[in-house]
Amino acid sequence: MAVCIAVIAKENYPLYIRSTPTENELKFHYMVHTSLDVVDEKISAMGKALVDQRELYLGLLYPTEDYKLCRYGYVTNSKVKFVMVVDSSNTALRDNEIRSMFRKLHNSYTDVMCNPFYNPGDRIQSRAFDNMVTSMMIQVC
Amino acid sequence: MEGLTLSDAEQKYYSDLFSYCDIESTKKVVVNGRVLELFRAAQLPNDVVLQIMELCGATRLGYFGRSQFYIALKLVAVAQSGFPLRVESINTVKDLPLPRFVASKNEQESRHAASYSSDSENQGSYSGVIPPPPGRGQVKKGSVSHDTVQPRTSADAQEPASPVVSPQQSPPTSPHTWRKHSRHPSGGNSERPLAGPGPFWSPFGEAQSGSSAGDAVWSGHSPPPPQENWVSFADTPPTSTLLTMHPASVQDQTTVRTVASATTAIEIRRQSSSYDDPWKITDEQRQYYVNQFKTIQPDLNGFIPGSAAKEFFTKSKLPILELSHIWELSDFDKDGALTLDEFCAAFHLVVARKNGYDLPEKLPESLMPKLIDLEDSADVGDQPGEVGYSGSPAEAPPSKSPSMPSLNQTWPELNQSSEQWETFSERSSSSQTLTQFDSNIAPADPDTAIVHPVPIRMTPSKIHMQEMELKRTGSDHTNPTSPLLVKPSDLLEENKINSSVKFASGNTVEQIGSNVTRQRSHSGTSPDNTAPPPPPPRPQPSHSRSSSLDMNRTFTVTTGQQQAGVVAHPPAVPPRPQPSQAPGPAVHRPVDADGLITHTSTSPQQIPEQPNFADFSQFEVFAASNVNDEQDDEAEKHPEVLPAEKASDPASSLRVAKTDSKTEEKTAASAPANVSKGTTPLAPPPKPVRRRLKSEDELRPEVDEHTQKTGVLAAVLASQPSIPRSVGKDKKAIQASIRRNKETNTVLARLNSELQQQLKDVLEERISLEVQLEQLRPFSHL
């Protein structure tokens, strides 16, 4: 269950961040922020491959008392990072699902990019993107 | 909100009003601004209006759906009649006069300018004088004319009243025709799309005058309902917002105008037959869009790059966010460029947005590239028929929309998510084919909740089961469906059950035969049962011969097992009706009767052969003849055993379990079979015993009946291993038991022979000893 989805630009500022539980948003933001370091670390570690298409960072980085929050990372070729916080209480092993979710995210992001009215670097305000993210967050729940 | 019952007049009136307010042509939601205007025109105090809105639920919903609108209208009538406003009053107050809406021309104009800003509206407010409608029909006529005027007015956007006059004459006729065509609100609403380009054109052409012209026209033919001044709906000239759009499109307007006038009738006809499609692009609009497209991209089949489109649409002065959304909606293939269809869709969306329509969340079907035909002419018939309802306004009102919305909702998603965009962007095929393609795709999409029946073979008939068994035995049972996969186990169960049942039946041969057949059919798991169900037990050994070739094979196989003259060792005769054989063996070999009987008791097939056991030669005969009948015999024996032995179930199960060891059983069975036709089944001894006890009596008649069985038994035993699985588990079990019995028989026979040999030796010794004694005796005498 994706509780939080964030799109981070290359400069590590958020382009889009959304969480399902309206409360604890700040906590999710913080978690995403901390995970950025890990993502950067992984990116730099990947010397041979230019860019790791799908970087799956499964980490109980922050197992709270309620649920284990697994942060997954995904980096595009343009160093745009997708971070997803997933509540792994129901399904622990859903690597493929995570990958598909990231793929969808990536596709929607490219669609947003294709919009000439969208200036790269702006916050993503596309309704279609929102809908897609919402559907992901709801469906997985 | 409770149900609202409207009279015919009310229904018509309300629908017309709804169409009027439904400037977005959504058929579901009316623009709040328009509705407010209307209510203001009702000359009701503001608080009453607010109350009405609350009662009808619009405030709750945030918008005016059709139902809400109707209820509001009714409440307006209630209020105007002086009745207290209550929810119940909408239905309780009878014979309400139609709500009256009065508004001055200026007021209308201002209202329209504020909310609708369409030329057509201006027409209505032009003169403020509306010829009294002949009747209810006028209402529609008014709406019709109102709408029909729109394109005309848009056409005349820039011209003064003179051009307006000309169209003015036509409307009186067209509304009539229209009325004939569309007697339902949608007729009025269908014209809504015109309203879009109407006001849009005026801004594009910066033609304020057009609106006034429109007013003139409008006034010429806007018959209000009996008590209503339709004029109130007339709108003011378009606002300046639209004017700023494209100053350079004056010429286009002219073109559009001519086109519009020419196609007015066509549009009317078309629109009258169209569904409630607020997003439909009319021909005039489309022509206008095409012209605009040409200014940017001369090649109609080419693309407009994103940057150029961005500039173009930025001129509309819409917020970037909305433009971005419009782009998302219209760029169907997400290629960053706009084809003609995409461009028209985007343009249309911009027009709508300028008119105050909210942008839909998903691209309406009518705006989808595939639905927009390159040829305008083709649009006429296609558009109406293509989509029952396409618009999916952002509000997504719940009211009566055609059943397509869900499909429309999913369709855009599917399209955008699928990789088939090139098909749409081609726009090469006619809209007809595109529509078909769409329809083909839509149903095929799994998201549309169309359930494709999944063929699942349910419980098959016996034949199927046999086939399954055959398949299962023959191949590795790649059963297509799970039920089939489950079948084997079921069959096994069934076989056992059947066998038990059969055992319990203890019926005639026929029954046994039928049982056998059934067994065979069920014994899918029987490794040896591959042939079709054998015929019922044949009284003649010769019959059995024709059963299958396996008999021969088994016969040859079992030949080796032959011992003590036992020819065709019956294939592992199931420990079943050995009783029949038991008597035989018992007769001949009481010594071995017990063991053999047990054997026989469990090998039903041996029972029939019992009589033949007595005659080893017969065995041979039977063996030879029963080779073919082995399978049958088994089958037959199975049933025989079944009826004879209830408890043979475990035996059969054992037999089944011992399928592999059938040969051994055969050997063993053959021996006992040879010895005592009823090769005592290796299966549970008690049964055999019991069987012997009772089977002897029971099986005797069976024995007689199954005289052939002996041979059959041998054959069966011989063919045990090769018995088709289809025979059934019982058969397998029987065969196994037969085999066991044969083996036992063999062993016993060997033992017997050895013992006899020993006996002989002993006798010889004795004789020799006696001789010696006698030889010595004389000496004793001495």
Short mmCIF file of all heavy atoms in Angstrom, two decimals, chain B residues 466 469 473 491-492 494-496 498-499 502 515-534 574 576 605 631 634-635 638 642 652 655-656 659 662 720 723-736:
data_model
loop_
_atom_site.label_atom_id
_atom_site.label_comp_id
_atom_site.label_asym_id
_atom_site.label_seq_id
_atom_site.Cartn_x
_atom_site.Cartn_y
_atom_site.Cartn_z
N GLN B 466 -13.81 -40.86 -19.47
CA GLN B 466 -12.98 -41.89 -20.05
C GLN B 466 -11.89 -41.27 -20.88
O GLN B 466 -10.73 -41.66 -20.82
CB GLN B 466 -13.82 -42.82 -20.91
CG GLN B 466 -14.85 -43.61 -20.11
CD GLN B 466 -15.80 -44.32 -21.01
OE1 GLN B 466 -15.57 -44.37 -22.21
NE2 GLN B 466 -16.85 -44.87 -20.46
N GLU B 469 -9.46 -39.93 -18.80
CA GLU B 469 -8.62 -40.98 -18.26
C GLU B 469 -7.63 -41.42 -19.30
O GLU B 469 -6.47 -41.65 -19.02
CB GLU B 469 -9.49 -42.14 -17.80
CG GLU B 469 -10.39 -41.77 -16.64
CD GLU B 469 -11.48 -42.78 -16.47
OE1 GLU B 469 -11.48 -43.77 -17.23
OE2 GLU B 469 -12.32 -42.59 -15.61
N THR B 473 -3.94 -41.16 -18.81
CA THR B 473 -3.07 -42.31 -18.83
C THR B 473 -2.10 -42.22 -19.98
O THR B 473 -0.94 -42.55 -19.86
CB THR B 473 -3.89 -43.59 -18.99
OG1 THR B 473 -4.66 -43.45 -20.20
CG2 THR B 473 -4.86 -43.74 -17.82
N LEU B 491 -12.14 -39.32 -10.17
CA LEU B 491 -12.45 -40.57 -10.81
C LEU B 491 -12.03 -41.73 -9.94
O LEU B 491 -12.71 -42.73 -9.82
CB LEU B 491 -11.76 -40.65 -12.16
CG LEU B 491 -12.35 -39.67 -13.19
CD1 LEU B 491 -11.50 -39.68 -14.43
CD2 LEU B 491 -13.77 -40.07 -13.51
N LEU B 492 -10.88 -41.56 -9.38
CA LEU B 492 -10.43 -42.62 -8.52
C LEU B 492 -11.46 -42.85 -7.44
O LEU B 492 -11.86 -43.98 -7.16
CB LEU B 492 -9.09 -42.25 -7.89
CG LEU B 492 -7.90 -42.34 -8.85
CD1 LEU B 492 -6.67 -41.74 -8.19
CD2 LEU B 492 -7.65 -43.77 -9.24
N GLU B 494 -14.44 -42.07 -7.55
CA GLU B 494 -15.67 -42.61 -8.10
C GLU B 494 -15.51 -44.08 -8.39
O GLU B 494 -16.41 -44.87 -8.17
CB GLU B 494 -16.03 -41.86 -9.37
CG GLU B 494 -16.45 -40.44 -9.09
CD GLU B 494 -16.75 -39.71 -10.38
OE1 GLU B 494 -16.62 -40.35 -11.43
OE2 GLU B 494 -17.10 -38.54 -10.30
N ASN B 495 -14.37 -44.37 -8.91
CA ASN B 495 -14.19 -45.78 -9.24
C ASN B 495 -14.34 -46.63 -8.01
O ASN B 495 -14.99 -47.66 -8.01
CB ASN B 495 -12.82 -45.99 -9.87
CG ASN B 495 -12.78 -45.37 -11.24
OD1 ASN B 495 -13.82 -45.18 -11.86
ND2 ASN B 495 -11.60 -45.04 -11.71
N LYS B 496 -13.70 -46.12 -7.00
CA LYS B 496 -13.79 -46.92 -5.80
C LYS B 496 -15.23 -47.02 -5.35
O LYS B 496 -15.73 -48.05 -4.97
CB LYS B 496 -12.95 -46.28 -4.69
CG LYS B 496 -11.48 -46.28 -5.01
CD LYS B 496 -10.68 -45.67 -3.90
CE LYS B 496 -9.21 -45.58 -4.31
NZ LYS B 496 -8.43 -44.93 -3.28
N ASN B 498 -17.74 -46.61 -7.15
CA ASN B 498 -18.50 -47.43 -8.07
C ASN B 498 -18.28 -48.89 -7.80
O ASN B 498 -19.20 -49.69 -7.78
CB ASN B 498 -18.10 -47.10 -9.50
CG ASN B 498 -18.51 -45.70 -9.85
OD1 ASN B 498 -19.45 -45.20 -9.26
ND2 ASN B 498 -17.82 -45.08 -10.77
N SER B 499 -17.04 -49.17 -7.62
CA SER B 499 -16.76 -50.58 -7.40
C SER B 499 -17.48 -51.06 -6.17
O SER B 499 -18.07 -52.13 -6.14
CB SER B 499 -15.26 -50.79 -7.27
OG SER B 499 -14.79 -50.00 -6.19
N LYS B 502 -20.88 -51.37 -6.96
CA LYS B 502 -21.12 -52.55 -7.76
C LYS B 502 -21.01 -53.80 -6.92
O LYS B 502 -21.77 -54.73 -7.08
CB LYS B 502 -20.11 -52.60 -8.88
CG LYS B 502 -20.36 -51.50 -9.89
CD LYS B 502 -19.18 -51.32 -10.77
CE LYS B 502 -19.33 -50.06 -11.57
NZ LYS B 502 -18.13 -49.75 -12.31
N ASN B 515 -21.75 -52.01 -15.06
CA ASN B 515 -20.85 -51.50 -14.04
C ASN B 515 -19.43 -51.48 -14.55
O ASN B 515 -18.68 -50.58 -14.30
CB ASN B 515 -20.95 -52.38 -12.79
CG ASN B 515 -22.29 -52.19 -12.11
OD1 ASN B 515 -22.94 -51.18 -12.33
ND2 ASN B 515 -22.72 -53.16 -11.33
N VAL B 516 -19.19 -52.53 -15.22
CA VAL B 516 -17.83 -52.59 -15.74
C VAL B 516 -17.58 -51.40 -16.64
O VAL B 516 -16.59 -50.70 -16.54
CB VAL B 516 -17.62 -53.89 -16.51
CG1 VAL B 516 -16.30 -53.84 -17.27
CG2 VAL B 516 -17.64 -55.06 -15.55
N THR B 517 -18.55 -51.23 -17.47
CA THR B 517 -18.38 -50.09 -18.36
C THR B 517 -18.19 -48.82 -17.57
O THR B 517 -17.36 -48.00 -17.85
CB THR B 517 -19.61 -49.96 -19.26
OG1 THR B 517 -19.84 -51.20 -19.92
CG2 THR B 517 -19.44 -48.85 -20.26
N ARG B 518 -19.01 -48.74 -16.57
CA ARG B 518 -18.91 -47.53 -15.77
C ARG B 518 -17.56 -47.45 -15.10
O ARG B 518 -16.95 -46.42 -15.02
CB ARG B 518 -20.02 -47.58 -14.73
CG ARG B 518 -20.30 -46.21 -14.23
CD ARG B 518 -21.70 -46.07 -13.76
NE ARG B 518 -21.72 -44.88 -12.89
CZ ARG B 518 -21.69 -44.96 -11.58
NH1 ARG B 518 -21.69 -46.11 -10.99
NH2 ARG B 518 -21.67 -43.87 -10.86
N GLN B 519 -17.17 -48.56 -14.64
CA GLN B 519 -15.87 -48.54 -14.00
C GLN B 519 -14.81 -48.11 -14.96
O GLN B 519 -13.97 -47.30 -14.67
CB GLN B 519 -15.55 -49.94 -13.46
CG GLN B 519 -16.33 -50.29 -12.23
CD GLN B 519 -16.01 -51.68 -11.79
OE1 GLN B 519 -15.22 -52.35 -12.44
NE2 GLN B 519 -16.63 -52.13 -10.71
N ARG B 520 -14.90 -48.66 -16.05
CA ARG B 520 -13.86 -48.33 -17.00
C ARG B 520 -13.90 -46.85 -17.33
O ARG B 520 -12.89 -46.21 -17.48
CB ARG B 520 -14.03 -49.15 -18.27
CG ARG B 520 -13.73 -50.61 -18.01
CD ARG B 520 -13.79 -51.41 -19.26
NE ARG B 520 -13.51 -52.81 -18.95
CZ ARG B 520 -13.53 -53.76 -19.88
NH1 ARG B 520 -13.80 -53.46 -21.11
NH2 ARG B 520 -13.27 -55.01 -19.55
N SER B 521 -15.10 -46.41 -17.42
CA SER B 521 -15.19 -44.99 -17.75
C SER B 521 -14.62 -44.16 -16.63
O SER B 521 -14.07 -43.10 -16.84
CB SER B 521 -16.63 -44.63 -18.02
OG SER B 521 -17.36 -44.77 -16.82
N HIS B 522 -14.81 -44.64 -15.49
CA HIS B 522 -14.38 -43.81 -14.37
C HIS B 522 -12.93 -44.02 -14.02
O HIS B 522 -12.29 -43.17 -13.46
CB HIS B 522 -15.23 -44.14 -13.14
CG HIS B 522 -16.63 -43.63 -13.27
ND1 HIS B 522 -16.91 -42.30 -13.40
CD2 HIS B 522 -17.81 -44.28 -13.30
CE1 HIS B 522 -18.21 -42.15 -13.51
NE2 HIS B 522 -18.79 -43.32 -13.45
N SER B 523 -12.51 -45.19 -14.31
CA SER B 523 -11.15 -45.46 -13.86
C SER B 523 -10.17 -44.75 -14.75
O SER B 523 -9.42 -45.38 -15.48
CB SER B 523 -10.89 -46.95 -13.84
OG SER B 523 -10.98 -47.44 -15.16
N GLY B 524 -10.24 -43.52 -14.68
CA GLY B 524 -9.32 -42.76 -15.49
C GLY B 524 -7.90 -42.97 -15.05
O GLY B 524 -6.97 -42.86 -15.82
N THR B 525 -7.78 -43.23 -13.81
CA THR B 525 -6.44 -43.36 -13.31
C THR B 525 -5.90 -44.76 -13.52
O THR B 525 -4.74 -45.01 -13.30
CB THR B 525 -6.40 -43.06 -11.82
OG1 THR B 525 -7.38 -43.89 -11.18
CG2 THR B 525 -6.80 -41.60 -11.60
N SER B 526 -6.75 -45.59 -13.91
CA SER B 526 -6.27 -46.93 -14.10
C SER B 526 -5.20 -46.94 -15.18
O SER B 526 -5.45 -46.53 -16.32
CB SER B 526 -7.43 -47.83 -14.51
OG SER B 526 -6.94 -49.07 -14.92
N PRO B 527 -4.08 -47.33 -14.83
CA PRO B 527 -3.00 -47.24 -15.81
C PRO B 527 -3.22 -48.15 -16.99
O PRO B 527 -2.77 -47.90 -18.08
CB PRO B 527 -1.76 -47.63 -15.02
CG PRO B 527 -2.29 -48.43 -13.87
CD PRO B 527 -3.65 -47.92 -13.58
N ASP B 528 -3.91 -49.20 -16.73
CA ASP B 528 -4.08 -50.13 -17.81
C ASP B 528 -5.31 -49.83 -18.64
O ASP B 528 -5.51 -50.41 -19.69
CB ASP B 528 -4.22 -51.56 -17.26
CG ASP B 528 -2.93 -51.98 -16.58
OD1 ASP B 528 -1.91 -51.39 -16.88
OD2 ASP B 528 -2.98 -52.89 -15.75
N ASN B 529 -6.10 -48.99 -18.16
CA ASN B 529 -7.35 -48.77 -18.88
C ASN B 529 -7.14 -47.70 -19.92
O ASN B 529 -7.22 -46.53 -19.65
CB ASN B 529 -8.44 -48.36 -17.90
CG ASN B 529 -8.65 -49.43 -16.86
OD1 ASN B 529 -8.39 -50.60 -17.13
ND2 ASN B 529 -9.09 -49.04 -15.69
N THR B 530 -6.88 -48.11 -21.04
CA THR B 530 -6.74 -47.15 -22.11
C THR B 530 -7.75 -47.40 -23.21
O THR B 530 -8.02 -46.55 -24.03
CB THR B 530 -5.34 -47.24 -22.72
OG1 THR B 530 -5.10 -48.59 -23.08
CG2 THR B 530 -4.30 -46.76 -21.72
N ALA B 531 -8.28 -48.53 -23.21
CA ALA B 531 -9.25 -48.82 -24.26
C ALA B 531 -10.61 -48.34 -23.83
O ALA B 531 -10.85 -48.09 -22.66
CB ALA B 531 -9.27 -50.32 -24.53
N PRO B 532 -11.47 -48.21 -24.75
CA PRO B 532 -12.81 -47.80 -24.39
C PRO B 532 -13.45 -48.85 -23.51
O PRO B 532 -12.98 -49.98 -23.44
CB PRO B 532 -13.53 -47.68 -25.74
CG PRO B 532 -12.71 -48.47 -26.68
CD PRO B 532 -11.32 -48.40 -26.19
N PRO B 533 -14.49 -48.47 -22.90
CA PRO B 533 -15.11 -49.39 -21.95
C PRO B 533 -15.44 -50.69 -22.67
O PRO B 533 -16.01 -50.70 -23.76
CB PRO B 533 -16.36 -48.67 -21.51
CG PRO B 533 -16.55 -47.53 -22.45
CD PRO B 533 -15.22 -47.22 -23.02
N PRO B 534 -15.10 -51.73 -22.09
CA PRO B 534 -15.35 -53.02 -22.74
C PRO B 534 -16.84 -53.31 -22.73
O PRO B 534 -17.58 -52.79 -21.90
CB PRO B 534 -14.58 -54.02 -21.88
CG PRO B 534 -14.51 -53.35 -20.56
CD PRO B 534 -14.49 -51.87 -20.80
N PRO B 574 -8.52 -58.53 -10.05
CA PRO B 574 -8.78 -57.86 -8.79
C PRO B 574 -9.26 -58.88 -7.80
O PRO B 574 -9.92 -59.84 -8.17
CB PRO B 574 -9.88 -56.86 -9.11
CG PRO B 574 -10.07 -56.91 -10.57
CD PRO B 574 -9.32 -58.07 -11.11
N ARG B 576 -11.43 -59.41 -6.49
CA ARG B 576 -12.86 -59.44 -6.41
C ARG B 576 -13.40 -60.83 -6.62
O ARG B 576 -12.99 -61.77 -6.02
CB ARG B 576 -13.45 -58.45 -7.36
CG ARG B 576 -13.97 -57.26 -6.60
CD ARG B 576 -14.72 -56.40 -7.50
NE ARG B 576 -13.78 -55.88 -8.50
CZ ARG B 576 -14.18 -55.61 -9.71
NH1 ARG B 576 -15.39 -55.85 -10.07
NH2 ARG B 576 -13.34 -55.12 -10.57
N GLN B 605 -12.80 -61.32 -11.53
CA GLN B 605 -12.74 -61.90 -12.86
C GLN B 605 -12.48 -63.39 -12.79
O GLN B 605 -12.83 -64.13 -13.69
CB GLN B 605 -11.64 -61.23 -13.67
CG GLN B 605 -11.97 -59.77 -13.92
CD GLN B 605 -10.72 -58.97 -14.15
OE1 GLN B 605 -9.63 -59.55 -14.04
NE2 GLN B 605 -10.86 -57.70 -14.43
N GLN B 631 -9.30 -57.71 -20.92
CA GLN B 631 -9.80 -56.43 -20.47
C GLN B 631 -11.27 -56.55 -20.16
O GLN B 631 -11.75 -56.10 -19.14
CB GLN B 631 -9.58 -55.39 -21.53
CG GLN B 631 -8.10 -55.16 -21.79
CD GLN B 631 -7.91 -54.18 -22.90
OE1 GLN B 631 -8.87 -53.79 -23.53
NE2 GLN B 631 -6.66 -53.81 -23.16
N GLU B 634 -11.69 -58.51 -17.20
CA GLU B 634 -11.44 -57.72 -16.00
C GLU B 634 -12.62 -56.86 -15.71
O GLU B 634 -13.12 -56.80 -14.59
CB GLU B 634 -10.21 -56.84 -16.19
CG GLU B 634 -8.93 -57.58 -15.91
CD GLU B 634 -7.78 -56.61 -15.84
OE1 GLU B 634 -8.02 -55.43 -16.09
OE2 GLU B 634 -6.69 -57.04 -15.51
N ALA B 635 -13.02 -56.25 -16.76
CA ALA B 635 -14.17 -55.39 -16.54
C ALA B 635 -15.34 -56.22 -16.06
O ALA B 635 -16.05 -55.85 -15.14
CB ALA B 635 -14.52 -54.66 -17.82
N HIS B 638 -14.62 -57.47 -12.80
CA HIS B 638 -14.78 -56.41 -11.81
C HIS B 638 -16.20 -56.32 -11.35
O HIS B 638 -16.49 -56.32 -10.19
CB HIS B 638 -14.31 -55.08 -12.39
CG HIS B 638 -12.82 -54.99 -12.47
ND1 HIS B 638 -12.05 -54.85 -11.36
CD2 HIS B 638 -11.99 -55.02 -13.51
CE1 HIS B 638 -10.77 -54.80 -11.72
NE2 HIS B 638 -10.71 -54.89 -13.02
N LEU B 642 -17.57 -57.09 -7.98
CA LEU B 642 -18.24 -56.02 -7.27
C LEU B 642 -19.52 -56.51 -6.64
O LEU B 642 -19.74 -56.33 -5.46
CB LEU B 642 -18.52 -54.87 -8.23
CG LEU B 642 -17.26 -54.12 -8.67
CD1 LEU B 642 -17.63 -53.10 -9.71
CD2 LEU B 642 -16.61 -53.48 -7.47
N SER B 652 -10.03 -53.14 -4.53
CA SER B 652 -9.78 -52.41 -5.77
C SER B 652 -8.79 -51.30 -5.53
O SER B 652 -7.93 -51.04 -6.35
CB SER B 652 -11.08 -51.85 -6.34
OG SER B 652 -12.01 -51.71 -5.32
N ARG B 655 -5.78 -52.85 -5.44
CA ARG B 655 -5.40 -53.23 -6.78
C ARG B 655 -4.88 -52.01 -7.52
O ARG B 655 -3.88 -52.05 -8.21
CB ARG B 655 -6.59 -53.81 -7.53
CG ARG B 655 -6.99 -55.16 -7.04
CD ARG B 655 -7.94 -55.79 -8.02
NE ARG B 655 -9.21 -55.08 -8.03
CZ ARG B 655 -10.20 -55.38 -7.22
NH1 ARG B 655 -10.09 -56.35 -6.34
NH2 ARG B 655 -11.32 -54.70 -7.28
N VAL B 656 -5.61 -50.97 -7.33
CA VAL B 656 -5.15 -49.77 -8.01
C VAL B 656 -3.77 -49.40 -7.53
O VAL B 656 -2.89 -49.05 -8.28
CB VAL B 656 -6.14 -48.62 -7.75
CG1 VAL B 656 -5.60 -47.33 -8.30
CG2 VAL B 656 -7.49 -48.95 -8.38
N THR B 659 -1.07 -51.35 -9.02
CA THR B 659 -1.12 -51.43 -10.48
C THR B 659 0.21 -51.88 -11.04
O THR B 659 0.27 -52.67 -11.95
CB THR B 659 -1.46 -50.05 -11.04
OG1 THR B 659 -2.73 -49.65 -10.52
CG2 THR B 659 -1.50 -50.09 -12.53
N LYS B 662 1.07 -55.45 -11.02
CA LYS B 662 0.05 -56.32 -11.58
C LYS B 662 0.68 -57.56 -12.17
O LYS B 662 0.16 -58.65 -12.07
CB LYS B 662 -0.71 -55.57 -12.67
CG LYS B 662 -1.81 -54.73 -12.10
CD LYS B 662 -2.63 -54.15 -13.18
CE LYS B 662 -3.68 -53.23 -12.56
NZ LYS B 662 -4.45 -52.55 -13.59
N GLN B 720 -3.76 -57.87 -17.79
CA GLN B 720 -3.89 -56.91 -16.69
C GLN B 720 -3.03 -55.67 -16.89
O GLN B 720 -3.48 -54.56 -16.80
CB GLN B 720 -3.52 -57.62 -15.39
CG GLN B 720 -3.77 -56.76 -14.17
CD GLN B 720 -5.25 -56.60 -13.91
OE1 GLN B 720 -6.02 -57.49 -14.26
NE2 GLN B 720 -5.64 -55.49 -13.33
N ILE B 723 -4.35 -53.56 -19.59
CA ILE B 723 -5.77 -53.22 -19.65
C ILE B 723 -5.90 -51.71 -19.72
O ILE B 723 -5.26 -50.98 -19.00
CB ILE B 723 -6.49 -53.75 -18.41
CG1 ILE B 723 -6.61 -55.28 -18.53
CG2 ILE B 723 -7.88 -53.13 -18.29
CD1 ILE B 723 -7.33 -55.91 -17.37
N PRO B 724 -6.71 -51.32 -20.54
CA PRO B 724 -6.84 -49.88 -20.65
C PRO B 724 -7.31 -49.30 -19.33
O PRO B 724 -8.09 -49.86 -18.62
CB PRO B 724 -7.92 -49.68 -21.72
CG PRO B 724 -8.19 -51.01 -22.29
CD PRO B 724 -7.54 -52.06 -21.46
N ARG B 725 -6.82 -48.18 -19.12
CA ARG B 725 -7.16 -47.55 -17.87
C ARG B 725 -8.63 -47.21 -17.79
O ARG B 725 -9.20 -47.05 -16.75
CB ARG B 725 -6.35 -46.27 -17.70
CG ARG B 725 -4.88 -46.52 -17.68
CD ARG B 725 -4.10 -45.23 -17.62
NE ARG B 725 -2.70 -45.48 -17.86
CZ ARG B 725 -1.90 -45.93 -16.93
NH1 ARG B 725 -2.34 -46.17 -15.72
NH2 ARG B 725 -0.62 -46.15 -17.18
N SER B 726 -9.13 -47.12 -18.94
CA SER B 726 -10.51 -46.70 -18.93
C SER B 726 -11.40 -47.71 -18.25
O SER B 726 -12.54 -47.44 -17.93
CB SER B 726 -10.98 -46.48 -20.37
OG SER B 726 -10.88 -47.70 -21.08
N VAL B 727 -10.86 -48.89 -18.09
CA VAL B 727 -11.71 -49.88 -17.48
C VAL B 727 -12.13 -49.44 -16.10
O VAL B 727 -13.20 -49.69 -15.63
CB VAL B 727 -10.97 -51.22 -17.41
CG1 VAL B 727 -11.78 -52.21 -16.60
CG2 VAL B 727 -10.76 -51.74 -18.83
N GLY B 728 -11.23 -48.84 -15.49
CA GLY B 728 -11.61 -48.36 -14.18
C GLY B 728 -10.67 -48.85 -13.12
O GLY B 728 -9.91 -49.81 -13.29
N LYS B 729 -10.75 -48.17 -12.10
CA LYS B 729 -9.90 -48.54 -11.00
C LYS B 729 -10.19 -49.95 -10.56
O LYS B 729 -9.32 -50.71 -10.21
CB LYS B 729 -10.12 -47.58 -9.86
CG LYS B 729 -9.45 -46.24 -10.07
CD LYS B 729 -9.72 -45.37 -8.90
CE LYS B 729 -9.34 -46.07 -7.62
NZ LYS B 729 -9.58 -45.19 -6.46
N ASP B 730 -11.42 -50.24 -10.57
CA ASP B 730 -11.76 -51.57 -10.13
C ASP B 730 -11.06 -52.60 -10.98
O ASP B 730 -10.53 -53.58 -10.49
CB ASP B 730 -13.27 -51.76 -10.22
CG ASP B 730 -13.98 -50.86 -9.23
OD1 ASP B 730 -13.33 -50.47 -8.26
OD2 ASP B 730 -15.14 -50.54 -9.45
N LYS B 731 -11.08 -52.30 -12.21
CA LYS B 731 -10.47 -53.27 -13.08
C LYS B 731 -8.99 -53.40 -12.74
O LYS B 731 -8.43 -54.47 -12.71
CB LYS B 731 -10.65 -52.83 -14.53
CG LYS B 731 -10.17 -53.86 -15.51
CD LYS B 731 -10.67 -53.57 -16.90
CE LYS B 731 -10.27 -54.66 -17.85
NZ LYS B 731 -10.78 -54.40 -19.19
N LYS B 732 -8.45 -52.26 -12.53
CA LYS B 732 -7.04 -52.31 -12.19
C LYS B 732 -6.84 -53.10 -10.93
O LYS B 732 -5.94 -53.92 -10.81
CB LYS B 732 -6.52 -50.88 -12.03
CG LYS B 732 -6.14 -50.24 -13.33
CD LYS B 732 -5.82 -48.78 -13.13
CE LYS B 732 -4.60 -48.61 -12.28
NZ LYS B 732 -4.21 -47.18 -12.21
N ALA B 733 -7.69 -52.78 -10.02
CA ALA B 733 -7.55 -53.52 -8.78
C ALA B 733 -7.76 -54.99 -9.04
O ALA B 733 -7.04 -55.85 -8.50
CB ALA B 733 -8.56 -52.99 -7.77
N ILE B 734 -8.74 -55.23 -9.81
CA ILE B 734 -9.00 -56.63 -10.11
C ILE B 734 -7.81 -57.25 -10.79
O ILE B 734 -7.38 -58.36 -10.48
CB ILE B 734 -10.26 -56.75 -11.00
CG1 ILE B 734 -11.52 -56.33 -10.20
CG2 ILE B 734 -10.40 -58.15 -11.54
CD1 ILE B 734 -12.74 -56.21 -11.02
N GLN B 735 -7.32 -56.51 -11.67
CA GLN B 735 -6.16 -57.04 -12.37
C GLN B 735 -5.01 -57.27 -11.42
O GLN B 735 -4.29 -58.26 -11.51
CB GLN B 735 -5.75 -56.08 -13.47
CG GLN B 735 -6.79 -56.00 -14.59
CD GLN B 735 -6.46 -54.87 -15.54
OE1 GLN B 735 -5.47 -54.18 -15.32
NE2 GLN B 735 -7.30 -54.68 -16.54
N ALA B 736 -4.89 -56.30 -10.57
CA ALA B 736 -3.80 -56.47 -9.61
C ALA B 736 -4.03 -57.71 -8.78
O ALA B 736 -3.12 -58.51 -8.55
CB ALA B 736 -3.70 -55.23 -8.73
#
